[in-house]
């Protein structure tokens, strides 16, 4: 598998990053048991992958525990990333010195390691001064508990403020950003990717299959099952991402399903299916290959629930889209500035 350095750093990561949000059964809409999670990790490493991403938020810490147990005896072979900022075992949250210190110590304990290769701020904290955050993170690096620093879901302005703050406090700057990016969500192209290039930041993009929509798993009419009642049609498979979103009857989850199953998204998914058929590939492979081939993308997060899904995802990194296919996908997914769909990070708990 191809490896690239993360931004202007020496951190070498695989082009495919194994996302672990689907590992665990304690909490969350998507879940898989530990046995299958270990098999997925084994297969990923056997395929040459080296980059694994998790977060303390995922299944309220259970995911980190699963990953830690799976990596015993081979920790040094993996670039291990996690995130902090969210409330997990106690009510604290944000990027304050107090919360981040507690969060990192808890993550290290659950992961069964004395350091992580990449520690990421899960989202921006509007309350804590960014100088406090960057000084705290620099302390983690100096203490040997963290090797590199990154952020997730930051805007272009927030990235710049963070890099400047790191310089002001004489600390360590970010080398990575984890943003949402797919054929249905291209907002980062306008400002965020150029800012990352300017500041030497690599990107680890997630949400590339838009909850399975770009994998061709859903068809028109299923959006009616979200409770809007606007269109009759069959309900999504209960074991699918959309089925799990709808099962709890949570209004926010229903709204997310409506966004994901919008007409625009389904039009794009239809084109992905057509391109895939012409190439003899699976739709998921095409959607992932499109993102992996975009300028400024360092690594792509894949979130398989099974070894079978993993193998299908990894095939995308061997697929080179013909120029005409890439052009068709680019045209149907391009929208006018200011009309992008809003991020659905808060609903997906990425």
């Amino acid at each position: 598998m191809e490896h690239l350095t993360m931004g202007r750093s020496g951190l070498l990561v695989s082009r495919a990053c194994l996302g672990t949000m689907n590992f665990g059964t304690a909490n969350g809409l998507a879940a898989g048991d530990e046995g299958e999670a270990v098999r997925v990790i084994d297969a990923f490493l056997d395929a040459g992958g080296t980059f694994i991403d998790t977060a303390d938020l995922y299944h309220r810490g259970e995911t980190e525990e699963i990953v830690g147990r799976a990596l015993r005896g081979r920790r040094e072979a993996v670039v291990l990333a996690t995130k902090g900022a969210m409330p997990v075992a106690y009510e604290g949250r944000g990027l304050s010195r107090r919360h981040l210190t507690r969060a990192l110590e808890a993550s290290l304990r659950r992961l069964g390691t004395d350091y992580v290769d990449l520690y990421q701020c899960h989202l921006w904290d509007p309350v804590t001064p960014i100088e406090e955050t960057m000084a705290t993170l620099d302390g983690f690096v100096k203490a040997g508990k963290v090797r590199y620093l990154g952020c997730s879901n930051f805007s272009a302005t927030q990235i710049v403020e963070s890099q400047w703050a790191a310089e002001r406090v004489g600390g360590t700057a970010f080398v990575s950003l984890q943003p949402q990016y797919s054929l249905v969500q291209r907002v980062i192209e306008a400002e965020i990717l150029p800012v990352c290039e300017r500041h030497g930041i690599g990107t680890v993009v997630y949400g590339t299959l838009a909850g399975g929509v770009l994998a061709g798993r859903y068809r028109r009419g299923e959006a009616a099952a979200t409770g809007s009642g606007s269109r009759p049609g069959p309900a999504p498979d209960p074991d699918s991402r959309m089925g799990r979103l709808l099962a709890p009857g949570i209004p926010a989850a229903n709204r997310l399903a409506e966004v994901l199953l919008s007409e625009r998204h389904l039009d794009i998914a239809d084109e992905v299916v057509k391109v895939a058929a012409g190439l003899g590939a699976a739709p998921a492979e095409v959607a992932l290959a499109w993102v992996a081939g975009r300028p400024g993308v360092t690594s792509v997060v894949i979130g398989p629930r099974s070894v079978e899904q993993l193998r299908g995802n990894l095939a995308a990194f061997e697929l080179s889209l013909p120029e005409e296919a890439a052009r068709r996908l680019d045209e149907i997914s391009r929208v006018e500035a200011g009309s992008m769909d809003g991020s659905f990070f808060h609903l997906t708990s990425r």
Side-chain angles (χ1 to χ4, degrees), residues 231-250:
R231 291 192 296 262
D237 183 338
D239 192 46
S240 68
R241 173 66 62 86
M242 222 59 60
R244 292 190 297 275
L245 276 172
L246 297 170
I250 301 172

Side-chain angles (χ1 to χ4, degrees), residues 277-319:
L279 298 177
E285 293 175 37
V286 170
L288 285 166
W290 182 87
V291 171
R294 300 297 291 177
V297 172
T298 307
S299 187
V300 180
V301 176
I302 55 176
R305 298 177 67 201
S306 66
V307 173
E308 180 182 7
Q309 287 183 356
L310 170 72
R311 289 172 178 156
N313 289 170
L314 292 179
F317 296 88
E318 304 298 323
L319 177 64

Side-chain angles (χ1 to χ4, degrees), residues 69-294:
R69 287 191 289 267
L71 293 181
R72 284 176 184 166
R74 49 185 176 177
R75 168 68 184 88
E76 294 300 320
V78 171
V79 174
L80 182 59
T82 193
K83 312 179 198 72
M86 303 297 200
V88 180
Y90 52 90
E91 292 305 312
R93 65 181 302 153
L95 302 178
S96 69
R97 179 174 287 107
R98 182 174 187 267
H99 180 74
L100 283 179
T101 300
R102 296 175 71 182
L104 176 61
E105 293 297 337
S107 287
L108 293 176
R109 183 174 63 254
R110 287 189 291 261
L111 289 166
T113 183
D114 58 3
Y115 75 98
V116 291
D117 297 286
L118 178 63
Y119 194 59
Q120 303 156 100
C121 298
H122 210 149
L123 78 173
W124 178 260
D125 180 354
V127 176
T128 303
I130 189 59
E131 290 82 2
E132 177 181 332
T133 298
M134 300 310 293
T136 300
L137 294 172
D138 182 61
F140 297 162
V141 174
K142 287 183 169 61
K145 296 179 180 181
V146 170
R147 299 292 188 258
Y148 296 90
L149 301 174
C151 56
S152 180
N153 305 294
F154 276 33
S155 69
T157 298
Q158 291 161 355
I159 294 167
V160 173
E161 287 189 22
S162 301
Q163 300 300 77
W164 286 352
E167 184 176 356
R168 286 196 298 273
V169 301
T172 306
F174 290 141
V175 302
S176 71
L177 169 72
Q178 191 168 139
Q180 186 179 161
Y181 191 32
S182 72
L183 279 161
V184 305
Q185 181 58 275
R186 297 177 58 178
V187 68
I188 69 170
E189 294 176 354
E191 295 181 353
I192 292 176
L193 286 178
V195 162
C196 286
E197 181 180 10
R198 170 66 175 161
H199 287 266
I201 294 174
T203 60
V204 188
V205 299
Y206 73 88
T208 51
L209 297 181
V213 173
L214 295 176
R217 296 175 190 157
Y218 308 104
R219 291 292 182 264
R220 283 174 174 77
E222 291 183 332
T226 62
S228 66
S230 59
R231 291 192 296 262
D237 183 338
D239 192 46
S240 68
R241 173 66 62 86
M242 222 59 60
R244 292 190 297 275
L245 276 172
L246 297 170
I250 301 172
N254 284 195
R255 288 195 299 273
L256 170 58
E258 290 180 340
V259 170
L260 288 171
L261 292 170
S262 70
E263 287 296 321
R264 173 180 177 267
H265 292 182
L266 292 172
D267 285 343
I268 295 170
D270 286 347
E271 190 64 29
V272 171
V273 170
K274 293 175 186 176
V275 169
L279 298 177
E285 293 175 37
V286 170
L288 285 166
W290 182 87
V291 171
R294 300 297 291 177

